[in-house]
Amino acid sequence: MRTYGTQAAGVRTPIIYEGDNLPEIVVDSVLAYCAENNLQVCERDVIGVTEAVVARAQGNYASTDHIAADVRAKFPSGAVGVVFPITSRNRFSVLLRGIAAGADKLYIQLSYPMDEVGNHIISEEALFAAGVDPFTDAFTEQEFRAIFNDLKHEFTAIDYLELYREIGNGAEIILANNPCEILKFTKNVIAADIHTREQTKRRLLAGGAEVVHTLDGFLNQPVEGSGYNDKYGVLGSNKASDNKVKLFPHSCDEFVADVQALMFEKTGVMVEVLVYGDGAFKDPVGKIWELADPVVSPAFTIGLSGLPNELKLKYLADNELADKRGDEAKEAIISRIRTKQLNLMGKDETEGTTPRHLTDLIGSLCDLVSGSGDKGTPVVFIKGYFDNFASE
């Protein structure tokens, strides 16, 4: 009996620079890894490439001046409100600097006790002790500080109210979970949340807002020669310097197709390819939900579409195969897998298999393997992801 299943490995590459032939670098790096480890590339092996190096190879960057120009074009005059930005130096501080440079006056409304992805301003326990109701209560910064005197983030020791006020050129800070609270200060609003942005926009417009834009509407085309993302705008961007962001890569469908075609040209094997960003998982200690990108995977080859269709082996072993042992049990399970229906959704024997999209599962695996620091493995090579207990 085969003793191994899915294997995922981080693959080191050269440092990627603008203009590099990234498909060639990716394929050559995977083949070098396979040669070093005496592995063969097989059908439906998966190659994941982090969005960061795709964007770097494209030179997909923008400055705060580019962001400011787009803000001025969308809000020609008056005060601008920014609703529900996440509290992150990497993800939002440079965007805020550009927004502030393009607005006459800025109001920033933060959700509390945490932002959209779980970064806490204050703990739930502190809210409860103070008798604050986050569903109804709204505060100015001064009012909030009068109740809670320590607003430094648990992990970073950053006071985000102070930081965002300063970056926003003296912006007024509001804390409330009803987005329409911002309309008491201005009718021109940027809905800065990520996954709930369309809902926030609808609520603002229904509440009387005059102009509302979401972050995917900024730099969704080049501004004065800037980078861009036609689908996600500045969503998924990261700090490159104090005055520049690396945007989420564009044209990723072409990139994954090029990697797949080049690998087939060199090996005769059809692999699957995806570009991945943040994984979709939550830190059980810090309570941070990692997905600050708009999607886990902005592009993938067709074989990665859909959901898993898996049986729960534990369920089978505990129920219909409970009276079998040894080889008899093994053969029964193999037979059950090979004869399973093409769509098992809702069946008892799938309970607990968590049928998330394949790209969310595989992209999360890639993100965990590659890490976000100094591992130097922006490519992940996965073997046997689509194998099961019945695979030879």
Side-chain angles (χ1 to χ4, degrees), residues 36 45 67 88 118 124 134 145 174 180 185 206 214 220 252-253 270 276 287 302 308 310 316-317 325 345 349 352:
E36 183 180 334
D45 283 349
I67 297 167
S88 168
E124 289 95 334
R145 288 190 185 279
I174 304 145
C180 293
F185 304 88
T214 52
N220 56 3
C252 290
D253 288 332
M270 188 66 71
Y276 67 91
K287 312 300 182 185
I302 191 65
E310 299 174 338
L316 296 179
R325 296 291 185 275
M345 186 176 293
E349 58 265 39

Side-chain angles (χ1 to χ4, degrees), residues 1-4 313 326-327 330-331 334 388-392:
M1 178 180 176
R2 198 175 90 180
T3 59
Y4 63 88
L313 294 192
D327 288 344
K330 183 185 76 172
E331 293 304 321
I334 289 173
N388 56 43
F389 190 75
S391 299
E392 300 291 343

Side-chain angles (χ1 to χ4, degrees), residues 60-70 94-95 97-99 101 219 223-228 234 240-247:
N60 201 29
Y61 291 85
S63 70
T64 51
D65 289 341
H66 295 134
I67 297 167
D70 209 5
V94 181
L95 298 183
R97 197 179 304 279
I99 292 168
L219 299 187
V223 173
E224 300 174 357
S226 73
Y228 71 99
V234 297
S241 71
D242 286 344
N243 295 294
K244 186 167 72 171
V245 291
K246 177 196 66 60
L247 299 171

Side-chain angles (χ1 to χ4, degrees), residues 229-266:
N229 187 294
D230 56 340
K231 187 172 183 180
Y232 298 116
V234 297
L235 287 175
S237 61
N238 288 270
K239 179 178 180 178
S241 71
D242 286 344
N243 295 294
K244 186 167 72 171
V245 291
K246 177 196 66 60
L247 299 171
F248 219 39
H250 57 74
S251 308
C252 290
D253 288 332
E254 298 171 20
F255 170 75
V256 296
D258 287 346
V259 174
Q260 186 182 58
L262 184 57
M263 181 61 84
F264 185 79
E265 178 185 320
K266 293 196 173 189

Side-chain angles (χ1 to χ4, degrees), residues 92-106:
F92 196 71
S93 66
V94 181
L95 298 183
L96 180 57
R97 197 179 304 279
I99 292 168
D104 294 341
K105 167 70 176 176
L106 209 57

Side-chain angles (χ1 to χ4, degrees), residues 306-318:
L307 309 174
N309 189 52
E310 299 174 338
L311 296 167
K312 188 74 169 181
L313 294 192
K314 182 176 70 173
Y315 177 88
L316 296 179
D318 287 344

Side-chain angles (χ1 to χ4, degrees), residues 190-365:
I190 297 173
D193 42 348
I194 304 164
H195 306 289
T196 53
R197 60 190 183 275
E198 292 301 329
Q199 178 188 20
T200 299
K201 181 178 181 178
R202 286 194 298 270
R203 292 180 67 184
L204 286 164
L205 290 171
E210 294 176 359
V211 180
V212 181
H213 291 285
T214 52
L215 290 180
D216 51 2
F218 293 92
L219 299 187
N220 56 3
Q221 56 186 353
V223 173
E224 300 174 357
S226 73
Y228 71 99
N229 187 294
D230 56 340
K231 187 172 183 180
Y232 298 116
V234 297
L235 287 175
S237 61
N238 288 270
K239 179 178 180 178
S241 71
D242 286 344
N243 295 294
K244 186 167 72 171
V245 291
K246 177 196 66 60
L247 299 171
F248 219 39
H250 57 74
S251 308
C252 290
D253 288 332
E254 298 171 20
F255 170 75
V256 296
D258 287 346
V259 174
Q260 186 182 58
L262 184 57
M263 181 61 84
F264 185 79
E265 178 185 320
K266 293 196 173 189
T267 66
V269 174
M270 188 66 71
V271 299
E272 304 294 347
V273 184
L274 81 161
V275 175
Y276 67 91
D278 276 347
F281 48 82
K282 184 174 181 177
D283 175 4
V285 177
K287 312 300 182 185
I288 298 171
W289 183 40
E290 185 68 14
L291 187 56
D293 287 327
V295 290
V296 173
S297 176
F300 47 89
T301 50
I302 191 65
L304 298 180
S305 300
L307 309 174
N309 189 52
E310 299 174 338
L311 296 167
K312 188 74 169 181
L313 294 192
K314 182 176 70 173
Y315 177 88
L316 296 179
D318 287 344
N319 290 274
E320 60 189 79
L321 306 178
D323 60 339
K324 294 178 170 41
R325 296 291 185 275
D327 288 344
E328 185 183 13
K330 183 185 76 172
E331 293 304 321
I333 288 176
I334 289 173
S335 175
R336 191 72 165 77
I337 291 172
R338 288 176 175 168
T339 59
K340 66 183 177 183
Q341 299 176 31
L342 294 178
N343 185 353
L344 292 167
M345 186 176 293
K347 304 293 184 182
D348 287 345
E349 58 265 39
T350 68
E351 188 174 350
T353 56
T354 315
R356 293 159 56 192
H357 284 278
L358 287 168
T359 50
D360 291 340
L361 292 164
I362 297 171
S364 298
L365 172 61

